[in-house]
Amino acid sequence: EPRARAFTILELLVAMSVLVVLVAIVSQILAMTGQVINAAKKQLDLETQSRIILDRIGKDLSNMLVAPGVAPMVICNTGDSASGSNNDGLAVVTNGRPRDRSLLTDSAVSVASKDIRMAVMGYRVMSTPDPRSPHGNVPALNWGDGTITWPANGMVRDDIQAKSDPGKAIAAAAADLSTSGTSMLAFQPMGQGIFRLEICYLLDDGTVVTVPPRDVNFPSQTGNIYALALSKATSTDSNKRFVKALIVAIAGLDSKTEGLLSAAQLISLANVLPNPTNGQTPLQAWDFTSPAATELRAKLAAPNFPPPVLNSLRVYQRYYYLQNAQ
């Protein structure tokens, strides 16, 4: 009778070794797949947040009020060393409604009267507490609002006086954009991970500029604060050019990559993204994927920043045509 043949110990060891190798390979593939899915989800979160921010800016601009003595106010390069000196700011008077003042604790933005007629909306990058970051305060895009009202008991205080006049309100908001003050705007974070805000201007003749024509009704606004000229009649430009559209761009990182950077590194990263030149949009100035952008890619790469930064950095841009421009 023939004997039953069994596996030798050597054959079992070989089979087990092959099985271990296969399990290790499959585990590595699953781990890499999980990392890719997680990274894609974080990028999707950043993209969704950026779209919401740009939609919100568009909504405020679509509700913008333009009248004698009232115009959108921008600050070109806030000079804020705590959030990136190249960042811009924007403030507009809108027909929208501000947040309930009773929910705010800052006395500088309190309103005695309930007769709130309209609001000032502002955007700027500020040093902000970020619960997702292990580094505490980091640069982040903030949104602020302020009330414009006509109190029944008369204009008895300077802050109420400002809130009763849209022109004075927008000027006060411009001061908040440059100093992180709260005389008009009550800021709150709306874009964690968004560390760069840049605004360029499309003029009526089709040119793109980095410094907009000023509104003649705001002679006191000098330096890097501009009330935008939206018509030939109000433009101080020698050729009477005026702003037809804002070109707004933001740059950000997903939460995981942002967590790799300290506040100082995020500020440095914001400053690495250059200001555009005339004829350039922010997206063109920040296009580090361009073959010609070798210098910018070098600044964004190691050893200046961790390797994930170059792969995770995202830039979003949108044109906003101003209905009141004519």
Side-chain angles (χ1 to χ4, degrees):
E1 181 177 331
R3 293 190 330 179
R5 190 176 173 204
F7 291 108
T8 65
I9 292 178
L10 180 60
E11 290 172 329
L12 289 173
L13 289 175
V14 170
M16 291 178 63
S17 299
V18 171
L19 180 61
V20 168
V21 171
L22 290 175
V23 170
I25 292 174
V26 171
S27 299
Q28 187 175 10
I29 291 173
L30 291 175
M32 292 176 62
T33 303
Q35 291 175 359
V36 170
I37 292 174
N38 189 43
K41 182 180 181 300
K42 291 185 182 298
Q43 289 294 346
L44 181 61
D45 290 343
L46 176 63
E47 184 173 337
T48 300
Q49 176 183 243
S50 299
R51 185 170 60 251
I52 292 172
I53 290 170
L54 294 175
D55 287 347
R56 178 59 189 264
I57 294 174
K59 180 179 179 181
D60 285 340
L61 290 174
S62 66
N63 290 328
M64 180 179 67
L65 172 68
V66 175
V70 184
M73 197 78 71
V74 297
I75 176 168
C76 299
N77 297 352
T78 61
D80 185 358
S81 60
S83 61
S85 58
N86 289 339
N87 277 305
D88 295 341
L90 169 68
V92 295
V93 174
T94 78
N95 292 318
R97 297 285 293 180
R99 288 170 290 170
D100 185 352
R101 298 293 97 180
S102 65
L103 301 178
L104 301 176
T105 58
D106 192 334
S107 60
V109 294
S110 63
V111 175
S113 169
K114 298 296 183 182
D115 190 13
I116 298 174
R117 303 294 180 87
M118 58 188 72
V120 181
M121 305 297 186
Y123 298 85
R124 68 161 297 174
V125 175
M126 300 170 59
S127 179
T128 308
D130 187 348
R132 311 174 314 167
S133 173
H135 306 294
N137 284 21
V138 294
L141 183 63
N142 276 242
W143 166 80
D145 65 342
T147 60
I148 300 178
T149 181
W150 286 263
N153 58 346
M155 302 173 189
V156 295
R157 297 200 309 273
D158 287 342
D159 60 322
I160 295 297
Q161 171 75 33
K163 293 178 176 64
S164 68
D165 183 327
K168 292 180 179 178
I170 194 69
D176 289 350
L177 293 178
S178 60
T179 63
S180 302
T182 55
S183 61
M184 187 69 220
L185 298 173
F187 287 106
Q188 69 174 17
M190 72 169 302
Q192 302 289 10
I194 304 298
F195 60 88
R196 187 74 164 86
L197 171 65
E198 183 69 29
I199 305 173
C200 288
Y201 313 90
L202 177 66
L203 303 186
D204 60 300
D205 64 356
T207 58
V208 174
V209 297
T210 59
V211 175
R214 279 195 167 98
D215 187 311
V216 70
N217 295 307
F218 288 82
S220 62
Q221 296 301 330
T222 58
N224 61 338
I225 300 176
Y226 295 80
L228 303 186
L230 300 182
S231 69
K232 290 183 178 181
T234 61
S235 178
T236 58
D237 182 73
S238 58
N239 295 317
K240 291 299 179 181
R241 297 180 302 172
F242 59 93
V243 178
K244 287 287 288 186
L246 298 184
I247 308 171
V248 179
I250 56 178
L253 294 169
D254 63 83
S255 58
K256 182 177 181 180
T257 306
E258 183 196 25
L260 300 175
L261 303 180
S262 65
Q265 287 176 308
L266 279 169
I267 294 168
S268 177
L269 182 58
N271 291 331
V272 163
L273 294 177
N275 285 325
T277 58
N278 283 338
Q280 264 190 332
T281 66
L283 194 59
Q284 291 171 328
W286 300 347
D287 184 12
F288 55 87
T289 63
S290 168
T294 53
E295 183 178 351
L296 179 56
R297 276 197 302 276
K299 291 179 179 180
L300 293 171
N304 299 320
F305 300 101
V309 168
L310 193 58
N311 294 327
S312 302
L313 179 62
R314 294 293 183 271
V315 174
Y316 305 94
Q317 176 179 285
R318 192 173 294 181
Y319 282 70
Y320 299 100
Y321 286 86
L322 305 178
Q323 298 177 0
N324 302 80
Q326 55 187 346

